[in-house]
Amino acid sequence: MVLRGENFRVERIVSMGHSTPSDRWYDQELNEWVLLLTGSAGLLFEDEDKPRVLKPGDYLSIPAHRRHRVIWTDPNKYTVWVTIHYT
Amino acid sequence: MVLRGENFRVERIVSMGHSTPSDRWYDQELNEWVLLLTGSAGLLFEDEDKPRVLKPGDYLSIPAHRRHRVIWTDPNKYTVWVTIHYT
C-alpha cells in the first residue's frame, strides 16, 4: 500500500511470469485503475475476444464487476503495476 | 485528466526542462501524490535543504499546503508524471 485516501487506495504490485489460473476471473467489488510501470502484460476482459496488451506507461480502467484476468506478464523481467482501487 | 473519483483525480503530465519560477512556491489546497514514469526531476520542499531527486518509478506525497517547487526536470527528454490530487 503506498497511499490510502478516503475512497481509494493506491498499491504497487510486482509480478514476473504471473497469470491468473485459466479457469478463474477476477470479479471485484471496487473499481480499479491500473498503470503499468515496467515490463509488459496481457489483460483479458471476459467480454472481449483479445487481451489488452500493456506496455510501460499504459493504463486502463476496470469497472467493478467487469470480469477479467491477467493472461501473461513478461516472463523475463519484473512487471510493476500501480493500481488504484476506488468506490 | 485520466481518472476522476469522488474525492480524487488522476492526471498525466508531461514536461521537458521545466521548472517553477524561482520566486514561486506551489501551495495547494489538495493533497497530492506524484509518481514519475519517465525522465527525472528535482523537487524541493520549502522546509528542506536539498531537492528530492525522482527517477522512473519513484513517488512521493505532498500534503496540502506543504510548499514546494520543481527545481529541474530532464532537459533532454520528456519527464512524464502521474499525479493524484485528493482531499
Side-chain angles (χ1 to χ4, degrees):
Chain A
M1 176 91 62
V2 297
L3 181 67
R4 179 182 282 284
E6 216 174 311
N7 297 78
F8 70 96
R9 67 174 195 272
V10 181
E11 287 163 311
R12 182 178 180 279
I13 292 162
V14 180
S15 49
M16 190 192 282
H18 165 267
S19 65
T20 311
S22 63
D23 56 342
R24 298 274 187 81
W25 295 97
Y26 286 122
D27 183 336
Q28 303 178 134
E29 300 296 319
L30 296 175
N31 301 302
E32 182 175 3
W33 182 86
V34 300
L35 166 70
L36 198 142
L37 279 184
T38 67
S40 57
L43 188 147
L44 180 65
F45 287 107
E46 191 183 32
D47 58 14
E48 292 186 347
D49 291 333
K50 289 183 199 161
R52 309 281 190 104
V53 175
L54 299 173
K55 293 161 290 162
D58 290 343
Y59 52 84
L60 59 78
S61 274
I62 307 172
H65 298 299
R66 186 172 181 192
R67 287 153 64 98
H68 62 284
R69 68 180 170 228
V70 177
I71 297 290
W72 54 268
T73 60
D74 193 312
N76 299 312
K77 56 181 170 181
Y78 290 112
T79 293
V80 180
W81 314 75
V82 169
T83 65
I84 305 175
H85 288 88
Y86 63 103
T87 55
Chain B
M1 175 89 64
V2 297
L3 180 67
R4 178 181 282 284
E6 216 173 310
N7 296 79
F8 71 95
R9 66 173 195 272
V10 180
E11 286 163 312
R12 182 178 179 280
I13 293 164
V14 180
S15 48
M16 191 191 281
H18 164 266
S19 66
T20 312
S22 63
D23 57 340
R24 297 276 187 82
W25 295 97
Y26 286 123
D27 183 336
Q28 302 179 134
E29 299 296 319
L30 295 176
N31 302 303
E32 183 176 2
W33 182 86
V34 300
L35 166 70
L36 197 143
L37 279 185
T38 67
S40 57
L43 188 146
L44 180 67
F45 287 106
E46 191 183 30
D47 59 15
E48 292 187 342
D49 292 333
K50 290 183 200 163
R52 310 279 189 104
V53 176
L54 298 173
K55 292 162 292 163
D58 290 344
Y59 53 86
L60 59 75
S61 273
I62 307 170
H65 299 300
R66 187 173 182 192
R67 287 153 63 97
H68 63 281
R69 69 180 170 231
V70 176
I71 296 290
W72 55 268
T73 59
D74 193 312
N76 300 313
K77 56 180 169 181
Y78 290 113
T79 293
V80 179
W81 315 75
V82 169
T83 66
I84 306 175
H85 287 87
Y86 62 103
T87 53

